[in-house]
Amino acid sequence: MKVYRYPDRQDIARLTERPLHDATDLNATVAAVLKDVRERGDEAVTEYEERFDHARLKSLAVTEKEMDEAEAMVGEELRQAIAIAHANISKFHAAQLSEGVHVSVTEGVECWQKPVPIEKVGLYIPGGTAPLFSTVLMLAVPARIAGCSQIVLCTPPSPEGKVNPCILYAARVAGVDRIFKIGGVQAIGAMAYGTATVPKVYKIFGPGNQYVMCAKQHVSLHDVAIDMPAGPSEVEVLADETSNPSFVAADLLSQAEHGVDSQVMLVTTSESLAESVQVEIERQLASLPRKDIAARALENSKIILVKDEDGMMEITNAYAPEHLIIESAGYMRLAGRVVNAGSVFLGSLTPESAGDYASGTNHTLPTNGYAMAYSGVNIDSYMRKITFQHITPSGIRSIGKAVETMAEAEGLRAHRNAMTLRVQSLDEQ
Amino acid sequence: MKVYRYPDRQDIARLTERPLHDATDLNATVAAVLKDVRERGDEAVTEYEERFDHARLKSLAVTEKEMDEAEAMVGEELRQAIAIAHANISKFHAAQLSEGVHVSVTEGVECWQKPVPIEKVGLYIPGGTAPLFSTVLMLAVPARIAGCSQIVLCTPPSPEGKVNPCILYAARVAGVDRIFKIGGVQAIGAMAYGTATVPKVYKIFGPGNQYVMCAKQHVSLHDVAIDMPAGPSEVEVLADETSNPSFVAADLLSQAEHGVDSQVMLVTTSESLAESVQVEIERQLASLPRKDIAARALENSKIILVKDEDGMMEITNAYAPEHLIIESAGYMRLAGRVVNAGSVFLGSLTPESAGDYASGTNHTLPTNGYAMAYSGVNIDSYMRKITFQHITPSGIRSIGKAVETMAEAEGLRAHRNAMTLRVQSLDEQ
């Protein structure tokens, strides 16, 4: 890790910059696959599955029999773990359900919101080296709680045409309705446009590689909503001389093992902690199965020494990290000063991995500084709030004149007329 | 208006389709202007103002003196109307502020949300034939209530370098911090990237023409969030034999006058109402200043006859209208069946124009069927919900094992280690 000592304000801007991931060169490829899926549906999807996932599929849909087989393959210990995670994620997200507000705005004018679930949602779960069944829970549990009537999941099959049993089991536990063996751009296209087999959805959630992200953004321009844009995963740790260097090192490594482009940052007021964390990282790294990935991610990682808590918070709020772990003594005080972050982990006993799996918060979070403007996935991500209004004769008397005046000033006479006719109808009575 | 009699299910799919507005051919132009603004900042913006708005500007920022002059030009009646609208919009949006939930998820595991305003937001207000000062209120009032620390507004100047006084006055009333005389793509670029004069913002709100919409989508891919994608404005009216044909006609016309591409639809169970509405439209249309626009919009508009309330709701929820006015007798019963719509107006005395200006609900709403997945602008549009979690020793005992098991099953050993070290630290005590 590179160490930066007491940066000034200009340095902070540079240190909190993300590397630029320009996906422009993917655009043409992604657009071509999407167009093909839109036009040829299942036939195109099946061809791309053979080409990209090397799987010759007779059927895209996962069967009930495959679900049963998967369930039988999941051991008791993991079932219990998934049950705990499911319960906690459910509890935290169910508490987020709201009634919407009902307001008597003025005499005779009632306005209210009605939260309504998005009817059809699509979840994308990547394949690759780690079977992310935890992400199945994070995306499907709130969808079920929100009341979405159709929850579709796409995930790439192995060359043998199989899906990891943990993913299927988690999908069953979380209440996914239909699962398809489709990966990559063709999965996003199938859910965005619909095919004979795959239902069209209204919003697509979930992580993926550059191609998947590019495809999600492409379809979001016209056809469906998406959860949020995304970049490589990130953690920032705040620590001081009271922090446990072994814990801090483990937390940094748990981010570093995600991928070579993972962003890892330690901001500390303590020179001695900075040193001992580096020693601990070397020690812990040696025994990791994914040590090559983690070591490469660490090459671009940063330890930043700052003078005080103000320095910590200036960097944090400029960086807007996806995950922020505050392991210094004043963690509660610092928590109150967080303005830009995705999810925050407080104290020495709250590692990011707790939230990644089972504390109850969602692990689908804004990366790349998007925390400046986006929330992580939460129950609202699956709802719309429709507004309603009802006006009585006394309400017309309260606001009728204002509406007529403003409409006229905007040059919209028909808007005014619609109100004038109501006003006159009351005068005539 | 074209009349469609008792369509079957297949016809409904066709009748609720929007015309395709392919903006692909704008992409190159928009991308070039954005790139130029990003690279050359104020210099490029000033050049584009001359080229596109025919305004030679010495300064992009509206001065306090100009604000004072504008205020003096707004008549007392309009000030009072704006005050009423401001009060009602404030009341409805302030009621939407939430504390976020705090949940004791399980023994020793506390999770909570902290709603935090987006620090910097940018509002775009189009120029053109109607000075949309009502949109200034709709976008700036909730931003102020949410607590955004910087609210920037861009709007195109006249060739004389002036901004409509009603827009400036509404901006002052609503609490906009800084106003710039910039329109079109260059305005979106200036707010997305920042220039020497215009601060970079984190989210951009507001309507605009095809170029503005294309620019918003372009910058939303990497640089800032946007409120929502948008298409032409729309209204659907539900009416029966008890509805007032003159009111219904006025409501349809108030949508039609927006633009030639406005979407206007009447769905009714009553043949006689359908006829009398058409007579009323002809009568009212004749006296409208914008009758040419409205007449052209009506050419593509639809009257759909249905058998019953089921027929009404099937079309409504398939169409997902931006505005839905329910003027039939059972409006409250029907309101309960609305699943897809932006904002709903109930009863004979609640015209869309009430919500456009002063009922308190927001008039920035999802068009083009986006109501399937998006809410209209509301207080949440200006906030993020950051999640926090804190775990105690008993919490580690509650979920530690589950986290270790799931991390191991996903092949993420460093994730497991981060928890194992905490578990061991407690065992050692």
Side-chain angles (χ1 to χ4, degrees), chain A residues 77 134 251 254 257 340 348 359 361 371 384 387 389 401 410 415 422, chain B residues 77 134 251 254 257 340 343 359 361 371 384 389 401 410 415 422:
Chain A
E77 193 176 50
S134 61
D251 292 336
S254 74
E257 76 172 342
N340 296 319
S348 63
S359 68
T361 60
R384 292 128 327 131
T387 50
Q389 50 241 288
K401 175 78 176 153
E410 285 194 350
H415 281 63
R422 268 77 175 196
Chain B
E77 194 176 49
S134 60
D251 293 337
S254 75
E257 77 172 343
N340 296 319
S343 193
S359 68
T361 61
R384 292 129 326 130
Q389 50 242 289
K401 175 78 175 156
E410 285 193 352
H415 282 63
R422 268 79 173 193

PDB file of all heavy atoms in Angstrom, chain A residues 77 134 251 254 257 340 348 359 361 371 384 387 389 401 410 415 422, chain B residues 77 134 251 254 257 340 343 359 361 371 384 389 401 410 415 422:
ATOM      1  N   GLU A  77     -25.300 -26.626   7.844  1.00  0.00           N
ATOM      2  CA  GLU A  77     -24.682 -25.441   8.422  1.00  0.00           C
ATOM      3  C   GLU A  77     -24.964 -24.197   7.559  1.00  0.00           C
ATOM      4  O   GLU A  77     -25.314 -23.132   8.069  1.00  0.00           O
ATOM      5  CB  GLU A  77     -23.167 -25.668   8.548  1.00  0.00           C
ATOM      6  CG  GLU A  77     -22.483 -24.639   9.407  1.00  0.00           C
ATOM      7  CD  GLU A  77     -20.992 -24.978   9.580  1.00  0.00           C
ATOM      8  OE1 GLU A  77     -20.305 -25.231   8.566  1.00  0.00           O
ATOM      9  OE2 GLU A  77     -20.536 -24.996  10.727  1.00  0.00           O
ATOM     10  N   SER A 134     -25.329 -14.646  -1.629  1.00  0.00           N
ATOM     11  CA  SER A 134     -25.726 -13.584  -0.686  1.00  0.00           C
ATOM     12  C   SER A 134     -26.425 -12.442  -1.431  1.00  0.00           C
ATOM     13  O   SER A 134     -27.351 -11.829  -0.898  1.00  0.00           O
ATOM     14  CB  SER A 134     -24.511 -13.058   0.079  1.00  0.00           C
ATOM     15  OG  SER A 134     -23.561 -12.508  -0.805  1.00  0.00           O
ATOM     16  N   ASP A 251     -10.020  -6.224   7.491  1.00  0.00           N
ATOM     17  CA  ASP A 251     -11.092  -5.499   6.801  1.00  0.00           C
ATOM     18  C   ASP A 251     -10.613  -4.986   5.442  1.00  0.00           C
ATOM     19  O   ASP A 251     -11.355  -5.030   4.453  1.00  0.00           O
ATOM     20  CB  ASP A 251     -11.581  -4.334   7.669  1.00  0.00           C
ATOM     21  CG  ASP A 251     -12.298  -4.833   8.928  1.00  0.00           C
ATOM     22  OD1 ASP A 251     -12.802  -5.980   8.910  1.00  0.00           O
ATOM     23  OD2 ASP A 251     -12.347  -4.085   9.928  1.00  0.00           O
ATOM     24  N   SER A 254     -10.395  -7.965   3.086  1.00  0.00           N
ATOM     25  CA  SER A 254     -11.668  -8.530   2.637  1.00  0.00           C
ATOM     26  C   SER A 254     -12.214  -7.728   1.457  1.00  0.00           C
ATOM     27  O   SER A 254     -12.968  -8.246   0.644  1.00  0.00           O
ATOM     28  CB  SER A 254     -12.680  -8.627   3.782  1.00  0.00           C
ATOM     29  OG  SER A 254     -13.179  -7.355   4.118  1.00  0.00           O
ATOM     30  N   GLU A 257      -9.704  -8.720  -1.758  1.00  0.00           N
ATOM     31  CA  GLU A 257      -9.831 -10.017  -2.437  1.00  0.00           C
ATOM     32  C   GLU A 257     -10.952 -10.029  -3.480  1.00  0.00           C
ATOM     33  O   GLU A 257     -11.071 -10.968  -4.248  1.00  0.00           O
ATOM     34  CB  GLU A 257     -10.033 -11.153  -1.419  1.00  0.00           C
ATOM     35  CG  GLU A 257     -11.431 -11.247  -0.823  1.00  0.00           C
ATOM     36  CD  GLU A 257     -11.634 -12.501   0.042  1.00  0.00           C
ATOM     37  OE1 GLU A 257     -10.845 -13.457  -0.068  1.00  0.00           O
ATOM     38  OE2 GLU A 257     -12.585 -12.504   0.851  1.00  0.00           O
ATOM     39  N   ASN A 340     -21.429  11.610   3.018  1.00  0.00           N
ATOM     40  CA  ASN A 340     -21.387  10.846   1.773  1.00  0.00           C
ATOM     41  C   ASN A 340     -20.771   9.468   1.998  1.00  0.00           C
ATOM     42  O   ASN A 340     -19.567   9.337   2.203  1.00  0.00           O
ATOM     43  CB  ASN A 340     -20.562  11.592   0.709  1.00  0.00           C
ATOM     44  CG  ASN A 340     -21.193  12.917   0.304  1.00  0.00           C
ATOM     45  OD1 ASN A 340     -22.411  13.007   0.136  1.00  0.00           O
ATOM     46  ND2 ASN A 340     -20.388  13.942   0.150  1.00  0.00           N
ATOM     47  N   SER A 348     -15.134  -1.641  16.667  1.00  0.00           N
ATOM     48  CA  SER A 348     -14.138  -2.658  16.326  1.00  0.00           C
ATOM     49  C   SER A 348     -14.764  -4.014  16.020  1.00  0.00           C
ATOM     50  O   SER A 348     -14.115  -4.885  15.450  1.00  0.00           O
ATOM     51  CB  SER A 348     -13.148  -2.808  17.483  1.00  0.00           C
ATOM     52  OG  SER A 348     -13.834  -3.260  18.633  1.00  0.00           O
ATOM     53  N   SER A 359     -25.988  -8.769   8.717  1.00  0.00           N
ATOM     54  CA  SER A 359     -26.438  -7.832   9.755  1.00  0.00           C
ATOM     55  C   SER A 359     -27.872  -7.382   9.470  1.00  0.00           C
ATOM     56  O   SER A 359     -28.599  -7.011  10.394  1.00  0.00           O
ATOM     57  CB  SER A 359     -25.513  -6.612   9.817  1.00  0.00           C
ATOM     58  OG  SER A 359     -25.636  -5.829   8.645  1.00  0.00           O
ATOM     59  N   THR A 361     -28.538  -5.023   6.814  1.00  0.00           N
ATOM     60  CA  THR A 361     -28.452  -3.946   5.817  1.00  0.00           C
ATOM     61  C   THR A 361     -28.193  -4.559   4.446  1.00  0.00           C
ATOM     62  O   THR A 361     -27.791  -5.708   4.327  1.00  0.00           O
ATOM     63  CB  THR A 361     -27.300  -2.978   6.143  1.00  0.00           C
ATOM     64  OG1 THR A 361     -26.066  -3.700   6.141  1.00  0.00           O
ATOM     65  CG2 THR A 361     -27.507  -2.326   7.505  1.00  0.00           C
ATOM     66  N   ALA A 371     -22.363   7.558  -4.184  1.00  0.00           N
ATOM     67  CA  ALA A 371     -23.018   7.797  -2.894  1.00  0.00           C
ATOM     68  C   ALA A 371     -23.318   9.281  -2.677  1.00  0.00           C
ATOM     69  O   ALA A 371     -24.120   9.633  -1.809  1.00  0.00           O
ATOM     70  CB  ALA A 371     -22.159   7.264  -1.746  1.00  0.00           C
ATOM     71  N   ARG A 384     -42.948   2.527  -6.053  1.00  0.00           N
ATOM     72  CA  ARG A 384     -43.188   3.884  -6.517  1.00  0.00           C
ATOM     73  C   ARG A 384     -44.134   4.527  -5.519  1.00  0.00           C
ATOM     74  O   ARG A 384     -44.925   3.838  -4.878  1.00  0.00           O
ATOM     75  CB  ARG A 384     -43.852   3.888  -7.895  1.00  0.00           C
ATOM     76  CG  ARG A 384     -42.927   3.379  -8.965  1.00  0.00           C
ATOM     77  CD  ARG A 384     -43.512   2.299  -9.809  1.00  0.00           C
ATOM     78  NE  ARG A 384     -44.439   1.387  -9.214  1.00  0.00           N
ATOM     79  CZ  ARG A 384     -45.614   1.082  -9.759  1.00  0.00           C
ATOM     80  NH1 ARG A 384     -46.019   1.683 -10.853  1.00  0.00           N
ATOM     81  NH2 ARG A 384     -46.389   0.185  -9.194  1.00  0.00           N
ATOM     82  N   THR A 387     -48.891   9.852  -6.309  1.00  0.00           N
ATOM     83  CA  THR A 387     -49.576  10.912  -5.559  1.00  0.00           C
ATOM     84  C   THR A 387     -51.040  10.986  -5.979  1.00  0.00           C
ATOM     85  O   THR A 387     -51.385  10.735  -7.138  1.00  0.00           O
ATOM     86  CB  THR A 387     -48.916  12.291  -5.757  1.00  0.00           C
ATOM     87  OG1 THR A 387     -48.735  12.545  -7.150  1.00  0.00           O
ATOM     88  CG2 THR A 387     -47.566  12.339  -5.075  1.00  0.00           C
ATOM     89  N   GLN A 389     -54.747  13.437  -5.265  1.00  0.00           N
ATOM     90  CA  GLN A 389     -55.296  14.658  -4.700  1.00  0.00           C
ATOM     91  C   GLN A 389     -56.806  14.703  -4.919  1.00  0.00           C
ATOM     92  O   GLN A 389     -57.307  14.190  -5.925  1.00  0.00           O
ATOM     93  CB  GLN A 389     -54.655  15.920  -5.282  1.00  0.00           C
ATOM     94  CG  GLN A 389     -54.590  15.996  -6.786  1.00  0.00           C
ATOM     95  CD  GLN A 389     -53.156  16.079  -7.253  1.00  0.00           C
ATOM     96  OE1 GLN A 389     -52.527  17.094  -7.091  1.00  0.00           O
ATOM     97  NE2 GLN A 389     -52.637  14.991  -7.811  1.00  0.00           N
ATOM     98  N   LYS A 401     -58.234  30.519  -7.594  1.00  0.00           N
ATOM     99  CA  LYS A 401     -57.735  31.791  -8.125  1.00  0.00           C
ATOM    100  C   LYS A 401     -56.222  31.729  -8.388  1.00  0.00           C
ATOM    101  O   LYS A 401     -55.727  32.220  -9.420  1.00  0.00           O
ATOM    102  CB  LYS A 401     -58.054  32.885  -7.090  1.00  0.00           C
ATOM    103  CG  LYS A 401     -57.526  34.256  -7.391  1.00  0.00           C
ATOM    104  CD  LYS A 401     -58.390  34.948  -8.433  1.00  0.00           C
ATOM    105  CE  LYS A 401     -57.887  36.389  -8.637  1.00  0.00           C
ATOM    106  NZ  LYS A 401     -58.200  36.863  -9.993  1.00  0.00           N
ATOM    107  N   GLU A 410     -48.230  31.790 -17.244  1.00  0.00           N
ATOM    108  CA  GLU A 410     -47.384  30.897 -18.043  1.00  0.00           C
ATOM    109  C   GLU A 410     -47.877  30.818 -19.493  1.00  0.00           C
ATOM    110  O   GLU A 410     -47.326  30.057 -20.288  1.00  0.00           O
ATOM    111  CB  GLU A 410     -47.325  29.498 -17.413  1.00  0.00           C
ATOM    112  CG  GLU A 410     -46.448  29.447 -16.169  1.00  0.00           C
ATOM    113  CD  GLU A 410     -46.105  28.029 -15.722  1.00  0.00           C
ATOM    114  OE1 GLU A 410     -46.694  27.060 -16.248  1.00  0.00           O
ATOM    115  OE2 GLU A 410     -45.243  27.888 -14.831  1.00  0.00           O
ATOM    116  N   HIS A 415     -55.088  25.437 -19.433  1.00  0.00           N
ATOM    117  CA  HIS A 415     -54.877  25.078 -18.022  1.00  0.00           C
ATOM    118  C   HIS A 415     -55.759  25.967 -17.133  1.00  0.00           C
ATOM    119  O   HIS A 415     -56.358  25.508 -16.176  1.00  0.00           O
ATOM    120  CB  HIS A 415     -53.414  25.280 -17.623  1.00  0.00           C
ATOM    121  CG  HIS A 415     -52.492  24.174 -18.077  1.00  0.00           C
ATOM    122  ND1 HIS A 415     -52.272  23.900 -19.401  1.00  0.00           N
ATOM    123  CD2 HIS A 415     -51.739  23.286 -17.376  1.00  0.00           C
ATOM    124  CE1 HIS A 415     -51.415  22.886 -19.491  1.00  0.00           C
ATOM    125  NE2 HIS A 415     -51.085  22.491 -18.273  1.00  0.00           N
ATOM    126  N   ARG A 422     -64.514  25.126 -13.179  1.00  0.00           N
ATOM    127  CA  ARG A 422     -64.887  24.624 -11.843  1.00  0.00           C
ATOM    128  C   ARG A 422     -65.326  25.790 -10.941  1.00  0.00           C
ATOM    129  O   ARG A 422     -66.306  25.674 -10.208  1.00  0.00           O
ATOM    130  CB  ARG A 422     -63.717  23.884 -11.198  1.00  0.00           C
ATOM    131  CG  ARG A 422     -63.679  22.393 -11.457  1.00  0.00           C
ATOM    132  CD  ARG A 422     -63.177  22.027 -12.833  1.00  0.00           C
ATOM    133  NE  ARG A 422     -63.039  20.574 -13.003  1.00  0.00           N
ATOM    134  CZ  ARG A 422     -62.352  20.001 -13.981  1.00  0.00           C
ATOM    135  NH1 ARG A 422     -61.779  20.726 -14.927  1.00  0.00           N
ATOM    136  NH2 ARG A 422     -62.282  18.677 -14.046  1.00  0.00           N
TER     137      ARG A 422
ATOM    138  N   GLU B  77     -50.993  40.245  -7.786  1.00  0.00           N
ATOM    139  CA  GLU B  77     -51.860  39.070  -7.897  1.00  0.00           C
ATOM    140  C   GLU B  77     -51.036  37.800  -8.095  1.00  0.00           C
ATOM    141  O   GLU B  77     -51.286  36.771  -7.464  1.00  0.00           O
ATOM    142  CB  GLU B  77     -52.824  39.265  -9.075  1.00  0.00           C
ATOM    143  CG  GLU B  77     -53.963  38.287  -9.084  1.00  0.00           C
ATOM    144  CD  GLU B  77     -54.939  38.593 -10.219  1.00  0.00           C
ATOM    145  OE1 GLU B  77     -54.498  38.767 -11.376  1.00  0.00           O
ATOM    146  OE2 GLU B  77     -56.148  38.668  -9.950  1.00  0.00           O
ATOM    147  N   SER B 134     -43.621  27.759 -12.552  1.00  0.00           N
ATOM    148  CA  SER B 134     -44.195  26.765 -11.638  1.00  0.00           C
ATOM    149  C   SER B 134     -43.216  25.608 -11.434  1.00  0.00           C
ATOM    150  O   SER B 134     -43.136  25.038 -10.343  1.00  0.00           O
ATOM    151  CB  SER B 134     -45.536  26.237 -12.167  1.00  0.00           C
ATOM    152  OG  SER B 134     -45.371  25.628 -13.431  1.00  0.00           O
ATOM    153  N   ASP B 251     -60.088  19.477 -19.414  1.00  0.00           N
ATOM    154  CA  ASP B 251     -58.930  18.738 -18.898  1.00  0.00           C
ATOM    155  C   ASP B 251     -58.106  18.139 -20.038  1.00  0.00           C
ATOM    156  O   ASP B 251     -56.874  18.145 -20.003  1.00  0.00           O
ATOM    157  CB  ASP B 251     -59.395  17.636 -17.939  1.00  0.00           C
ATOM    158  CG  ASP B 251     -59.997  18.221 -16.662  1.00  0.00           C
ATOM    159  OD1 ASP B 251     -59.665  19.380 -16.321  1.00  0.00           O
ATOM    160  OD2 ASP B 251     -60.804  17.526 -16.012  1.00  0.00           O
ATOM    161  N   SER B 254     -56.230  20.969 -21.718  1.00  0.00           N
ATOM    162  CA  SER B 254     -55.101  21.535 -20.967  1.00  0.00           C
ATOM    163  C   SER B 254     -53.856  20.681 -21.153  1.00  0.00           C
ATOM    164  O   SER B 254     -52.733  21.168 -21.026  1.00  0.00           O
ATOM    165  CB  SER B 254     -55.457  21.723 -19.490  1.00  0.00           C
ATOM    166  OG  SER B 254     -55.474  20.497 -18.808  1.00  0.00           O
ATOM    167  N   GLU B 257     -52.625  21.417 -25.090  1.00  0.00           N
ATOM    168  CA  GLU B 257     -51.960  22.676 -25.436  1.00  0.00           C
ATOM    169  C   GLU B 257     -50.458  22.669 -25.112  1.00  0.00           C
ATOM    170  O   GLU B 257     -49.737  23.580 -25.511  1.00  0.00           O
ATOM    171  CB  GLU B 257     -52.645  23.876 -24.752  1.00  0.00           C
ATOM    172  CG  GLU B 257     -52.329  24.038 -23.276  1.00  0.00           C
ATOM    173  CD  GLU B 257     -52.875  25.351 -22.687  1.00  0.00           C
ATOM    174  OE1 GLU B 257     -53.206  26.274 -23.446  1.00  0.00           O
ATOM    175  OE2 GLU B 257     -52.982  25.424 -21.438  1.00  0.00           O
ATOM    176  N   ASN B 340     -50.407   1.711 -11.715  1.00  0.00           N
ATOM    177  CA  ASN B 340     -49.390   2.400 -12.503  1.00  0.00           C
ATOM    178  C   ASN B 340     -49.887   3.773 -12.943  1.00  0.00           C
ATOM    179  O   ASN B 340     -50.748   3.876 -13.828  1.00  0.00           O
ATOM    180  CB  ASN B 340     -49.016   1.570 -13.736  1.00  0.00           C
ATOM    181  CG  ASN B 340     -48.363   0.245 -13.374  1.00  0.00           C
ATOM    182  OD1 ASN B 340     -47.547   0.179 -12.461  1.00  0.00           O
ATOM    183  ND2 ASN B 340     -48.726  -0.814 -14.080  1.00  0.00           N
ATOM    184  N   SER B 343     -49.470  10.813 -11.133  1.00  0.00           N
ATOM    185  CA  SER B 343     -50.264  11.543 -10.157  1.00  0.00           C
ATOM    186  C   SER B 343     -51.732  11.414 -10.552  1.00  0.00           C
ATOM    187  O   SER B 343     -52.056  11.418 -11.738  1.00  0.00           O
ATOM    188  CB  SER B 343     -49.844  13.020 -10.124  1.00  0.00           C
ATOM    189  OG  SER B 343     -50.387  13.679  -8.993  1.00  0.00           O
ATOM    190  N   SER B 359     -51.864  22.474  -5.796  1.00  0.00           N
ATOM    191  CA  SER B 359     -52.481  21.609  -4.779  1.00  0.00           C
ATOM    192  C   SER B 359     -51.437  21.179  -3.744  1.00  0.00           C
ATOM    193  O   SER B 359     -51.788  20.873  -2.609  1.00  0.00           O
ATOM    194  CB  SER B 359     -53.108  20.375  -5.439  1.00  0.00           C
ATOM    195  OG  SER B 359     -52.101  19.538  -5.972  1.00  0.00           O
ATOM    196  N   THR B 361     -48.962  18.702  -4.597  1.00  0.00           N
ATOM    197  CA  THR B 361     -48.225  17.578  -5.180  1.00  0.00           C
ATOM    198  C   THR B 361     -47.232  18.100  -6.211  1.00  0.00           C
ATOM    199  O   THR B 361     -47.342  19.230  -6.678  1.00  0.00           O
ATOM    200  CB  THR B 361     -49.175  16.587  -5.882  1.00  0.00           C
ATOM    201  OG1 THR B 361     -49.861  17.275  -6.938  1.00  0.00           O
ATOM    202  CG2 THR B 361     -50.185  16.017  -4.907  1.00  0.00           C
ATOM    203  N   ALA B 371     -43.875   5.383 -15.292  1.00  0.00           N
ATOM    204  CA  ALA B 371     -44.554   5.234 -14.005  1.00  0.00           C
ATOM    205  C   ALA B 371     -44.595   3.772 -13.551  1.00  0.00           C
ATOM    206  O   ALA B 371     -44.861   3.494 -12.387  1.00  0.00           O
ATOM    207  CB  ALA B 371     -45.976   5.808 -14.079  1.00  0.00           C
ATOM    208  N   ARG B 384     -30.364  10.891   0.202  1.00  0.00           N
ATOM    209  CA  ARG B 384     -29.888   9.517   0.209  1.00  0.00           C
ATOM    210  C   ARG B 384     -30.174   8.962   1.591  1.00  0.00           C
ATOM    211  O   ARG B 384     -30.244   9.703   2.560  1.00  0.00           O
ATOM    212  CB  ARG B 384     -28.375   9.452  -0.038  1.00  0.00           C
ATOM    213  CG  ARG B 384     -28.039   9.867  -1.436  1.00  0.00           C
ATOM    214  CD  ARG B 384     -26.969  10.908  -1.511  1.00  0.00           C
ATOM    215  NE  ARG B 384     -26.908  11.890  -0.480  1.00  0.00           N
ATOM    216  CZ  ARG B 384     -25.780  12.195   0.172  1.00  0.00           C
ATOM    217  NH1 ARG B 384     -24.674  11.536  -0.072  1.00  0.00           N
ATOM    218  NH2 ARG B 384     -25.770  13.164   1.064  1.00  0.00           N
ATOM    219  N   GLN B 389     -24.521   0.368  10.898  1.00  0.00           N
ATOM    220  CA  GLN B 389     -24.702  -0.798  11.745  1.00  0.00           C
ATOM    221  C   GLN B 389     -23.658  -0.810  12.846  1.00  0.00           C
ATOM    222  O   GLN B 389     -22.542  -0.335  12.654  1.00  0.00           O
ATOM    223  CB  GLN B 389     -24.632  -2.109  10.954  1.00  0.00           C
ATOM    224  CG  GLN B 389     -23.434  -2.276  10.042  1.00  0.00           C
ATOM    225  CD  GLN B 389     -23.877  -2.413   8.594  1.00  0.00           C
ATOM    226  OE1 GLN B 389     -24.441  -3.428   8.226  1.00  0.00           O
ATOM    227  NE2 GLN B 389     -23.653  -1.383   7.792  1.00  0.00           N
ATOM    228  N   LYS B 401     -21.042 -16.687  13.328  1.00  0.00           N
ATOM    229  CA  LYS B 401     -20.931 -18.003  12.694  1.00  0.00           C
ATOM    230  C   LYS B 401     -21.576 -18.012  11.299  1.00  0.00           C
ATOM    231  O   LYS B 401     -21.033 -18.571  10.341  1.00  0.00           O
ATOM    232  CB  LYS B 401     -21.617 -19.025  13.616  1.00  0.00           C
ATOM    233  CG  LYS B 401     -21.723 -20.428  13.086  1.00  0.00           C
ATOM    234  CD  LYS B 401     -20.403 -21.162  13.223  1.00  0.00           C
ATOM    235  CE  LYS B 401     -20.572 -22.626  12.789  1.00  0.00           C
ATOM    236  NZ  LYS B 401     -19.292 -23.198  12.373  1.00  0.00           N
ATOM    237  N   GLU B 410     -18.927 -18.774  -0.310  1.00  0.00           N
ATOM    238  CA  GLU B 410     -18.732 -17.948  -1.509  1.00  0.00           C
ATOM    239  C   GLU B 410     -17.263 -17.916  -1.932  1.00  0.00           C
ATOM    240  O   GLU B 410     -16.913 -17.221  -2.889  1.00  0.00           O
ATOM    241  CB  GLU B 410     -19.255 -16.519  -1.271  1.00  0.00           C
ATOM    242  CG  GLU B 410     -20.780 -16.428  -1.287  1.00  0.00           C
ATOM    243  CD  GLU B 410     -21.305 -14.990  -1.378  1.00  0.00           C
ATOM    244  OE1 GLU B 410     -20.505 -14.050  -1.271  1.00  0.00           O
ATOM    245  OE2 GLU B 410     -22.523 -14.842  -1.568  1.00  0.00           O
ATOM    246  N   HIS B 415     -13.044 -12.334   3.717  1.00  0.00           N
ATOM    247  CA  HIS B 415     -14.303 -11.913   4.329  1.00  0.00           C
ATOM    248  C   HIS B 415     -14.546 -12.711   5.605  1.00  0.00           C
ATOM    249  O   HIS B 415     -14.957 -12.173   6.634  1.00  0.00           O
ATOM    250  CB  HIS B 415     -15.483 -12.132   3.364  1.00  0.00           C
ATOM    251  CG  HIS B 415     -15.606 -11.087   2.294  1.00  0.00           C
ATOM    252  ND1 HIS B 415     -14.655 -10.883   1.347  1.00  0.00           N
ATOM    253  CD2 HIS B 415     -16.591 -10.181   2.034  1.00  0.00           C
ATOM    254  CE1 HIS B 415     -15.040  -9.899   0.539  1.00  0.00           C
ATOM    255  NE2 HIS B 415     -16.213  -9.453   0.940  1.00  0.00           N
ATOM    256  N   ARG B 422     -12.722 -11.404  14.998  1.00  0.00           N
ATOM    257  CA  ARG B 422     -13.582 -10.823  16.048  1.00  0.00           C
ATOM    258  C   ARG B 422     -14.104 -11.926  16.985  1.00  0.00           C
ATOM    259  O   ARG B 422     -14.139 -11.742  18.210  1.00  0.00           O
ATOM    260  CB  ARG B 422     -14.773 -10.086  15.424  1.00  0.00           C
ATOM    261  CG  ARG B 422     -14.528  -8.609  15.173  1.00  0.00           C
ATOM    262  CD  ARG B 422     -13.718  -8.321  13.935  1.00  0.00           C
ATOM    263  NE  ARG B 422     -13.639  -6.882  13.647  1.00  0.00           N
ATOM    264  CZ  ARG B 422     -13.201  -6.389  12.500  1.00  0.00           C
ATOM    265  NH1 ARG B 422     -12.779  -7.180  11.526  1.00  0.00           N
ATOM    266  NH2 ARG B 422     -13.155  -5.074  12.323  1.00  0.00           N
TER     267      ARG B 422
END
